[in-house]
Amino acid sequence: MHDFFHTFFDWSEIAGALPSLLGEGLRNTLLIAVLAIIFGLVCGMLLAVLLLSRRRLVRLPARIYVDVFRGLPAIVTVSLIGLGLPAAGIRPFGRSPLGYAVVAVGLISAAYCAEIFRAGIQAVPAGQMQAGRSLGMSYLKTMRLVIVPQGVRNVLPALTGQFIVDVKESSLVYLLGLSVGQRELYFIAQERQAASYNASALVAAGLCYLVITIPLTYFVNWLDRRMREGRPARAGAEEPLPEPALAEG
């Protein structure tokens, strides 16, 4: 039992790891996750619009993208982007692996965000489109001002959940060999574990991840309850356009 606690809960090892984990690792983990979710939200919305197109040739490329990046293990995507592109001479970020890490996690996030947005937009009642068109708005303007805002509001809990996934998947970028100053939580803990043959630093990193993910998980649950109860998640939320009245025969 002593060996177990010494291996996983060596407080001197945890105390030695915490400054680097909190100062460098936590900052870079959040940086990678935030930039990846922004990348994922922008690309995911564009993909969702393509997936909703009535033209098969427009939908097909988006569907292939979503299926490929949702089907590949995240570690394979990170390796292909972060190691494969520089090896092929494609170096948009130079020698810095941080940019490749953000793109790799962001590409995965975009595939999942696309399906989240698509489901949210399709959940908006069809009458909302009819109402917008009856007021003289074009299809694109109705989508931009009426359908998409309601669809996004429908999926806010799912998008927050995707951010939690991005935080956890940021740990895979240790494969890219981040330099000092760019290391995320897992990379720092793994380095200390390899040097000391003690897993306490990994436990400390796990606690740091929990500090991020547990509050976000409860926030997702709270947001989901508010959505289900029909109360707007923010003050002053606009009401949807009324459906046009049908002319009586």
Side-chain angles (χ1 to χ4, degrees), residues 178-195:
L178 300 172
S179 59
V180 175
Q182 297 181 332
R183 299 174 301 173
E184 42 73 43
L185 287 169
Y186 178 76
F187 192 99
I188 293 173
Q190 191 269 341
E191 279 189 329
R192 291 189 66 93
Q193 189 275 333

Side-chain angles (χ1 to χ4, degrees), residues 11-34:
W11 297 111
S12 62
E13 185 65 25
I14 291 175
L18 280 177
S20 295
L21 289 172
L22 295 177
E24 179 184 349
L26 187 60
R27 180 189 71 239
N28 289 322
T29 291
L30 290 175
L31 177 64
I32 293 170
V34 169

